[in-house]
Amino acid sequence: MVDAQTTNQKFLGAGRSGQVFLIENQDESIARKIFAGDKLTKLVHYIFLGAPNPYIWNEDIIQCAYYRRKILGDLVQYWFGSQLHVADAIATDWNQEHQAYQIDTEFVDGRGVSLCQPFTRLRKRELPDLVHQVMLPLQNKLIEAGFDGLVWQAGKGNPVALNNFLLTEVEHNDSNGKFNYYYAWIDLESGVPALAPLNILKLFSYYIPMSIKHGQPLFDDVDVETLKRYLKKHNTEIIEKLGQDKKDAIATNVQSLDQYQSRWKSLKRVERSIQYQLKKGKINSQQAEWYSDHILQWYSRELIRAWQKILRLLIKLPVKIINRLKKVKYRTFFARVWKILASQRYRLQFTKDLIGDRIKAWEDRTQLISEEANFLRSRLDQEHGSGYLVDFSIHVALKIIIQSLEFLVFPLLYAIGVIDEISFGFLFVADGPIFRSVYTGYKCIQALTTGKEIPWIAFLVGLIPFVGTVAYPCQLVYSTAGKRGKIAQFIVYDTFTQLGEKIPIWGGEDTLTEHFFNQTAYKLIRFLNNYVGVSRQKVV
């Protein structure tokens, strides 16, 4: 355990497997990962492994994590040179405050690869470089070397794994004019068993066969015998590239990994459940020993405990919902909604504040540098009363009405039997396009009668469920270019990107899912600029 004088502790983030803190000591900066799990991941682990995430409570598997990082730190250097670096493991320990194990690793100062945005130029190369030059080759190397379960954290069928990698440096090569990118692999420990890839083909072609091979759902498993054969086969090359000392260190760490992994995997399902409760202090050692000899009584105890939790949930959930509803300041809420709908001035200010908050969010994520963010803010001030922002603010106001219908009115109508499941689903998807098409259709007729440009792009985009709010920004992208289009482009990028963040299970910040939707926005903007715009110029 690292116990130097701690000068500062900062929360860095949380994932499915735990929380990460930056520990700044006098001599070094450390990333401390304290393992944890939410209710859903605990349930998944209970179903497949018999107890919550073993990194929380099992000392053997936490040692496996330590030695895997040590081994892969050297092998990744052998495979990729300086292009990829593994955050080195420093120490492991039991965290008494959190009642869970922790692992201290080298802190890496980096960022996620860039999203596309209005100022995207060379930065758009970062994502394909990471995926095709690092992640995919790494997956192949891991499989070849026997790290069967580590491919999940390297992104095989797992779009969330993109945020396990940070871009640490970009170097311009003067000789060929290209850019060299350097990355760090910071998270090697899974939060759930590898049984939910986005690509279902990978589940049947890889993860299920490998789970059968390892005798349990794949969870960071290493085929040590395959690893030993790999090291023997490449012994000469490893020595030439890394030196004899590192080669010997790898061999020693493999032996330790083999020892700890064998002990962890030798635990039967019921033993895992008992040991978890013992480690958490829910039972004492005498009770653990007794339950180990009386398995039926243990499962009866767990079944009763599960039913108690379900009953508590059924009782507490309605009370919790009612209490939250009571806390809502309805008068203030409806007054604000009315002002948004009735006052153009208030609605424009609300929309401006909303866009400003999103600019700040991108800046905080380092997806916009300060100069870019300030430029967007200045354009937002100048375009505050422009026509497309007025129309966009109407769509924002409509979105408030739409969400009220989706989360309050429609469920109530379904609950009292006015609408059925099909009608509920249809209305949930179609209400936005209906509301937007009514307003935009009126604007199209108005433009036609006055001889102005018909906002047909806005009409078509407004028909798209969930992201149709970007209709008028898309119209402006089509109608103009240059500085005036930057805010419109940002709104389009931000709306699609937020959709990728909100996708359950496979979405979130710095995931391939988020980047997929962000790239969709890029393609849409490019289409409007390059293709539709060209057609428009020919007509003119």
Side-chain angles (χ1 to χ4, degrees):
M1 178 182 179
V2 176
D3 58 359
Q5 288 293 322
T6 302
T7 58
N8 190 27
Q9 178 171 310
K10 177 184 177 183
F11 177 72
L12 294 178
R16 293 195 182 104
S17 60
Q19 299 177 317
V20 182
F21 298 86
L22 170 61
I23 310 296
E24 292 183 315
N25 298 314
Q26 293 178 348
D27 301 326
E28 59 185 341
S29 295
I30 296 164
R32 173 166 294 169
K33 184 177 182 180
I34 303 173
F35 291 94
D38 56 30
K39 291 180 180 179
L40 180 59
T41 56
K42 284 182 178 179
L43 178 62
V44 171
H45 277 282
Y46 258 116
I47 292 171
F48 291 106
L49 296 177
N53 190 332
Y55 289 123
I56 298 173
W57 58 272
N58 185 268
E59 184 176 3
D60 291 320
I61 200 168
I62 203 73
Q63 292 300 323
C64 290
Y66 176 87
Y67 286 107
R68 277 198 307 265
R69 282 183 180 258
K70 289 293 185 183
I71 297 165
L72 282 170
D74 292 329
L75 284 181
V76 162
Q77 184 183 354
Y78 166 63
W79 293 331
F80 293 92
S82 59
Q83 185 183 16
L84 180 63
H85 169 73
V86 172
D88 188 26
I90 297 171
T92 64
D93 197 29
W94 174 255
N95 189 300
Q96 190 62 37
E97 179 185 354
H98 292 267
Q99 287 287 291
Y101 278 105
Q102 66 186 33
I103 183 168
D104 288 343
T105 68
E106 165 196 6
F107 171 71
V108 176
D109 187 10
R111 62 172 175 82
V113 292
S114 294
L115 294 163
C116 291
Q117 36 96 335
F119 307 95
T120 298
R121 291 179 293 274
L122 298 174
R123 281 176 291 179
K124 69 181 181 181
R125 300 177 184 175
E126 294 172 6
L127 177 65
D129 186 83
L130 173 56
V131 172
H132 296 289
Q133 301 302 319
V134 174
M135 293 176 69
L136 293 177
L138 176 62
Q139 293 164 23
N140 294 330
K141 294 290 186 181
L142 290 170
I143 294 171
E144 183 184 1
F147 291 92
D148 300 332
L150 270 293
V151 295
W152 179 254
Q153 290 298 92
K156 189 175 181 66
N158 177 18
V160 180
L162 186 76
N163 59 30
N164 294 335
F165 297 84
L166 292 181
L167 178 64
T168 58
E169 186 182 354
V170 180
E171 180 183 82
H172 184 257
N173 192 325
D174 294 327
S175 62
N176 56 21
K178 294 183 178 180
F179 285 85
N180 297 324
Y181 301 94
Y182 300 91
Y183 304 93
W185 190 10
I186 58 169
D187 191 356
L188 282 68
E189 294 79 38
S190 297
V192 291
L195 288 174
L198 181 59
N199 185 342
I200 195 68
L201 296 177
K202 287 183 169 58
L203 175 64
F204 293 102
S205 65
Y206 183 82
Y207 286 109
I208 289 180
M210 282 297 172
S211 296
I212 295 171
K213 170 186 171 181
H214 286 273
Q216 66 176 27
L218 206 58
F219 188 69
D220 298 344
D221 298 88
V222 179
D223 184 339
V224 177
E225 294 306 313
T226 298
L227 176 56
K228 289 178 179 178
R229 289 195 295 270
Y230 178 88
L231 294 173
K232 184 177 180 180
K233 178 180 178 181
H234 297 273
N235 181 67
T236 303
E237 295 91 335
I238 291 173
I239 293 174
E240 288 176 355
K241 195 163 187 178
L242 303 181
Q244 184 66 45
D245 290 344
K246 281 199 173 182
K247 183 266 176 187
D248 293 340
I250 293 172
T252 302
N253 290 331
V254 168
Q255 294 300 325
S256 297
L257 172 63
D258 191 15
Q259 173 191 349
Y260 287 112
Q261 182 174 262
S262 297
R263 278 164 47 178
W264 145 244
K265 297 187 73 171
S266 68
L267 281 178
K268 296 179 180 178
R269 182 184 181 88
V270 66
E271 291 173 335
R272 294 175 182 179
S273 181
I274 294 171
Q275 289 301 313
Y276 169 73
Q277 297 291 345
L278 174 62
K279 195 69 179 181
K280 284 290 189 177
K282 303 293 179 65
I283 59 175
N284 57 41
S285 56
Q286 290 79 14
Q287 289 174 311
E289 187 175 346
W290 187 86
Y291 279 122
S292 296
D293 296 328
H294 300 81
I295 297 174
L296 187 59
Q297 284 85 342
W298 175 257
Y299 280 126
S300 299
R301 175 188 182 277
E302 289 295 276
L303 186 61
I304 292 171
R305 198 165 64 87
W307 274 113
Q308 288 174 339
K309 285 189 173 184
I310 293 171
L311 289 174
R312 281 198 296 269
L313 178 64
L314 292 175
I315 294 169
K316 288 181 178 180
L317 186 59
V319 176
K320 194 174 183 180
I321 292 172
I322 292 170
N323 288 336
R324 288 203 172 184
L325 290 174
K326 285 180 179 178
K327 291 179 181 178
V328 177
K329 297 178 180 178
Y330 292 99
R331 182 175 295 180
T332 304
F333 172 76
F334 285 113
R336 190 178 186 189
V337 171
W338 175 251
K339 286 179 72 176
I340 292 172
L341 295 174
S343 170
Q344 178 172 306
R345 181 179 178 183
Y346 185 85
R347 185 168 59 247
L348 277 170
Q349 187 60 47
F350 176 82
T351 304
K352 179 185 174 183
D353 292 342
L354 185 67
I355 298 169
D357 289 342
R358 294 308 305 160
I359 292 171
K360 186 178 186 304
W362 281 61
E363 186 179 17
D364 290 343
R365 289 182 59 187
T366 66
Q367 294 293 348
L368 286 171
I369 61 176
S370 59
E371 292 84 355
E372 294 167 343
N374 290 335
F375 178 86
L376 288 176
R377 291 188 186 102
S378 68
R379 294 304 308 171
L380 183 60
D381 289 333
Q382 294 174 37
E383 299 176 23
H384 182 38
S386 64
Y388 90 94
L389 269 182
V390 172
D391 293 320
F392 175 65
S393 70
I394 292 288
H395 277 192
V396 170
L398 290 175
K399 187 174 182 179
I400 296 172
I401 299 174
I402 292 163
Q403 290 182 337
S404 300
L405 290 172
E406 291 173 349
F407 296 106
L408 293 175
V409 179
F410 294 162
L412 180 61
L413 293 176
Y414 174 73
I416 63 178
V418 175
I419 58 175
D420 57 15
E421 295 88 348
I422 296 174
S423 300
F424 180 85
F426 172 77
L427 290 172
F428 192 86
V429 173
D431 55 353
I434 291 171
F435 275 83
R436 287 188 293 267
S437 63
V438 169
Y439 174 78
T440 314
Y442 164 74
K443 296 294 289 186
C444 287
I445 295 171
Q446 188 181 59
L448 185 64
T449 57
T450 57
K452 295 180 180 179
E453 181 183 23
I454 300 172
W456 65 274
I457 291 291
F459 183 81
L460 293 176
V461 174
L463 295 174
I464 304 173
F466 308 120
V467 295
T469 310
V470 301
Y472 275 99
C474 285
Q475 180 68 45
L476 184 68
V477 171
Y478 160 73
S479 301
T480 188
K483 291 182 178 180
R484 187 167 172 246
K486 295 298 184 185
I487 284 291
Q489 289 181 27
F490 174 77
I491 294 170
V492 176
Y493 280 122
D494 180 62
T495 303
F496 277 85
T497 303
Q498 283 192 79
L499 184 60
E501 289 178 24
K502 294 174 183 177
I503 297 293
I505 303 175
W506 300 291
E509 289 187 358
D510 298 316
T511 63
L512 277 173
T513 306
E514 182 192 45
H515 277 271
F516 169 80
F517 284 94
N518 176 255
Q519 291 281 336
T520 302
Y522 171 76
K523 291 173 183 176
L524 174 61
I525 290 170
R526 188 176 62 175
F527 173 75
L528 292 173
N529 276 330
N530 296 345
Y531 298 98
V532 180
V534 170
S535 301
R536 182 171 173 271
Q537 289 172 7
K538 288 180 179 178
V539 171
V540 174

